[in-house]
Amino acid sequence: MREQFEVRVNREAITVDDTTTVAAAILRAGVAGFRQSPDGHWRGPLCGMGICAECRATIDGVPGQYTCQRWCRPGMQIVTGAASDGEAPDELEER
Amino acid sequence: MPAVPQPVRVLVVGAGPAGMQAALTAVASGAAVTLVDGSPSLGGQIWRGEQSHSRAAAALFERVRGSEVRLLFGCQIVDAPEPGLLLGAAEGKAEWLPYDRLILATGAREIFLPFPGWTLPNVFGVGGIQALAKGGLPLAGKRVVVAGSGPLLWSVAAYLRGRGAEIPLIAEQTDLARLVQFAAALRFLPSKFMEAIGIARTLIGTGLRTGCYPVHAHGADRLTAVTLRTSAREWTVDCDYLACGFGFAPNLELPLLLGCTVRDGFVVVDEWQQTSVPGIFCVGEPTGIGGAEKSLAEGAIAGIAATCDVKDRALKGSTASLFAERLRCRRFADALRRGFALREELRTLPASDTILCRCEDVTIGRLIGHPSWRSAKLHERLGMGHCQGRVCGAAAEFLLGWPMESVRPPLFPVHVDTLASVVPSREHDG
C-alpha cells in the first residue's frame, strides 16, 4: 500500500497518495465547481487530460494550474474558486 | 582519420502506444531517441499513468523504461521555430529539442458536443471520468450516466462499475443496425472481439440504449440529472455524474504547424508513415482513429523508416507482417468510423444561449451570421481562450461545418517568463 499523506483543499485536509491527481483531491473535498467562467458560471474538469483547461486552480500559491495533470505531493495547498484567467480568489473578491 | 558517425537524432512527440513503439524501434536501430510527452508518465491517454491491465502495455512500459530512450515528461511542444528544431515548455522552463527525424504521435482528444447544461460541473468526458477515476476520484455508490458514442462508452462503463459506480444507463447515439454492422467488423481484430465479449459480460444488467443521446443536463451549480432522447421518447434520469463523449478527433496542431498535409481531418502519410514533409513521420490516431493496435503497428513502421535508408528497410524481417497488421487495423478503423458516425439530430441540440466556447462563454447565438471560424474568432473571441479551440473546434466543425484552418504558436498557453528564458538576455544601456 502506498504511503498516505495530506493535502489541503481550501484549508480542508484531504488524505491522498502520490497516485492522486490534484483534480481528484479537489473532487474528494466535495468541490464540483473549480473556477468561474468569464460570465461567472461555475466550471469543473471536463477532459481529464490537460486540454480543456476547465480544472484550473491555485496550487501552492501559483494560480492557473491544470489540476488534472498534477500529482498530489505532501503538504500541497490547493485553492479553488479563481476567475477564468487564473487569478487568486482574493483578487476575485475585490472586483 | 574518419570522423565517428553521430547517431541519427530521432525525436518522438507523444508517449502513448504509437510513440513508445516508434521510440523503441528507433533506438534498437542505434538512433539517439528522445520521447517527449505533456503528461507526467508513459502510456498516453489510453494507457494513462502506466495503469493498464493489458499485458502488452505492461511489457511495453518495461521495455521503454529499460531502454536507452531519453524520456522527457511534463513537456508541451509550443513552437517549431525552424526545420530540425522544436521548442518545448516543461514546468515553466523552455527546452530546445533538435532532431534529424521527427515522429509525431500526438494522439487524439475526445469530441464534446454542446447541449443545454453541458458546461455544468460533474459533466465529464467519457475518457475524462476514467482519467479522473484513475487519478483517485472515488466512484463507489455514485450514479453515472454514460452517453455519447463509440466503444469507449462500454469499456469505461465496465471500468466504472468495477470501481463501484452504479450505471443506470449507457446511451449510444448510433442506431442498433449500425452497431450490428460494427460488431461484424470486429472479426478483423480477434483481440478486439475477445475484449468486447469481456466487456459485454461486465455490463450485463446495465441498460444499453442505442439511438439514444442526452439533450439537457440539469442542475444549478452542479449536475443533478440528465434528460435523454430516443426516437420514441424523452425522459430524465437522476445522476451524480454524466460521462459524455462523442468519439475522438486527432491532435493536429503540431502536424499543421509543421506544414504536414491534412486531408479530411487526418494527417496524410505514405506507406512508411512519412508525412508530406520529408523526415517527419506521423503515427497512431492522427492518421486515422483506430486504437492501440493500429498505433503499435504504425509506430514500429515509422521507427524503422526513420532510422533506415530505403534500401535497408526491406532487410528488416518484420516489415511484411507489420504492413499486414496495419492493414487489418485500418479496416477496423474504417468500421469504427462508419459504425459510429454522428447522427444529424445532434446538430439541433444546442439552444441559442447554449455555450459553444467554454473558455470565453461564446454562445451559439452569437455565432449566427458569421461565415467562418476566423470571423467568429476575430469578432466573438471563439477559440481564443486557454484551450485554444481544442474543445470548441471539433464542435464548431460538426455543428457549423467550420474546419480548423491553421494554427499558430504557441500551441499551448505558455507563461511569458518561459518564453523569455529562451531569448538571449540583452543589455539595454540606452
Side-chain angles (χ1 to χ4, degrees):
Chain A
M1 181 143 171
R2 285 183 177 266
E3 194 185 330
Q4 310 267 303
F5 54 84
E6 281 187 355
V7 296
R8 301 230 160 219
V9 177
N10 303 332
R11 301 195 177 86
E12 185 187 343
I14 303 292
T15 302
V16 296
D17 64 38
D18 63 4
T19 65
T20 312
T21 60
V22 175
I26 295 171
L27 290 165
R28 278 196 204 179
V31 175
F34 283 38
R35 46 178 286 280
Q36 286 177 290
S37 71
D39 292 351
H41 306 294
W42 283 104
R43 297 285 170 74
L46 172 70
C47 76
M49 55 190 273
I51 278 178
C52 72
E54 293 282 38
C55 68
R56 279 172 287 153
T58 300
I59 302 176
D60 291 335
V62 184
Q65 300 296 299
Y66 287 39
T67 59
C68 73
Q69 296 294 296
R70 295 284 300 275
W71 303 119
C72 287
R73 294 287 174 256
M76 235 179 202
Q77 305 278 333
I78 303 151
V79 180
T80 63
S84 62
D85 53 3
E87 286 167 292
D90 295 346
E91 293 168 329
L92 180 67
E93 281 159 18
E94 282 168 19
R95 286 187 175 179
Chain B
M1 199 174 83
V4 179
Q6 292 293 307
V8 60
R9 294 168 304 173
V10 176
L11 178 62
V12 184
V13 180
M20 283 195 291
Q21 185 60 59
L24 272 177
T25 309
V27 87
S29 296
V33 182
T34 300
L35 178 58
V36 49
D37 197 285
S39 82
S41 55
L42 294 171
Q45 298 306 330
I46 189 164
W47 295 336
R48 162 173 282 271
E50 299 180 43
Q51 299 177 45
S52 169
H53 300 299
S54 138
R55 221 179 299 165
L60 208 53
F61 295 143
E62 205 177 306
R63 285 174 59 207
V64 173
R65 290 278 182 193
S67 75
E68 298 285 305
V69 173
R70 177 187 169 226
L71 300 175
L72 193 55
F73 294 122
C75 181
Q76 299 283 11
I77 305 301
V78 294
D79 199 1
E82 60 187 67
L85 190 64
L86 295 186
L87 175 61
E91 302 213 339
K93 208 167 102 282
E95 185 96 32
W96 291 114
L97 299 162
Y99 62 86
D100 301 309
R101 303 277 186 276
L102 177 61
I103 301 178
L104 303 172
T106 50
R109 53 180 173 252
E110 267 190 279
I111 296 173
F112 301 111
L113 297 180
F115 53 88
W118 77 296
T119 56
L120 278 172
N122 290 349
V123 176
F124 303 129
V126 176
I129 196 171
Q130 186 173 36
L132 288 165
K134 287 183 177 180
L137 171 66
L139 288 159
K142 298 287 185 190
R143 268 170 75 84
V144 187
V145 170
V146 179
S149 199
L152 187 70
L153 266 52
W154 320 329
S155 65
V156 168
Y159 173 81
L160 299 177
R161 216 178 188 202
R163 297 283 300 262
E166 181 198 344
I167 312 291
L169 178 75
I170 301 173
E172 166 57 63
Q173 60 89 34
T174 209
D175 291 324
L176 185 59
R178 278 177 188 261
L179 200 58
V180 169
Q181 279 171 15
F182 170 74
L186 287 176
R187 70 184 183 279
F188 294 124
L189 283 183
S191 64
K192 290 278 181 205
F193 186 71
M194 294 314 293
E195 197 182 314
I197 288 179
I199 289 169
R201 205 177 278 158
T202 323
L203 292 178
I204 289 168
T206 301
L208 170 67
R209 299 291 174 93
T210 54
C212 179
Y213 46 92
V215 294
H216 203 137
H218 307 276
D221 62 347
R222 67 180 68 191
L223 178 80
T224 54
V226 57
T227 298
L228 299 135
R229 180 189 293 165
T230 63
S231 60
R233 66 188 187 115
E234 207 171 284
W235 75 107
T236 300
V237 179
D238 290 339
C239 57
D240 298 301
Y241 300 134
L242 169 62
C244 188
F246 291 88
F248 291 89
N251 293 321
L252 296 177
E253 286 78 10
L254 186 54
L256 283 170
L257 185 69
L258 290 160
C260 302
T261 301
V262 170
R263 195 181 302 142
D264 299 331
F266 294 97
V267 176
V268 177
V269 290
D270 67 11
E271 62 168 344
W272 291 101
Q273 301 296 137
Q274 185 163 241
T275 68
S276 60
V277 182
I280 301 182
F281 299 80
C282 188
V283 292
E285 306 294 56
T287 72
I289 303 297
E293 283 88 351
K294 173 175 166 291
S295 292
L296 292 172
E298 293 188 353
I301 291 167
I304 292 170
T307 50
C308 299
D309 289 339
V310 176
K311 60 180 168 42
D312 294 336
R313 289 176 191 168
L315 300 177
K316 296 271 172 182
S318 55
T319 51
S321 65
L322 283 172
F323 278 41
E325 168 73 2
R326 181 179 60 185
L327 183 63
R328 261 208 315 274
C329 292
R330 285 184 177 170
R331 284 187 183 147
F332 174 74
D334 286 342
L336 207 53
R337 189 172 43 76
R338 283 194 302 270
F340 297 98
L342 297 179
R343 61 192 310 124
E344 283 299 313
E345 291 94 324
L346 297 174
R347 292 184 220 272
T348 66
L349 301 186
S352 73
D353 64 349
T354 302
I355 285 165
L356 174 66
C357 167
R358 302 168 64 113
C359 296
E360 298 289 339
D361 280 343
V362 183
T363 60
I364 297 283
R366 276 168 55 191
L367 300 177
I368 292 167
H370 284 288
S372 67
W373 172 272
R374 188 176 154 73
S375 167
K377 184 174 182 173
L378 288 174
H379 296 98
E380 306 291 350
R381 296 192 54 79
L382 173 69
M384 292 283 276
H386 266 72
C387 92
Q388 297 185 296
R390 285 178 171 83
V391 173
C392 56
E397 185 168 353
F398 177 70
L399 294 173
L400 304 160
W402 295 346
M404 188 198 288
E405 290 151 357
S406 63
V407 293
R408 59 175 67 182
L411 294 182
F412 277 89
V414 55
H415 200 271
V416 67
D417 291 346
T418 307
L419 288 180
S421 73
V422 303
V423 180
S425 58
R426 289 205 189 111
E427 305 252 332
H428 292 283
D429 52 8

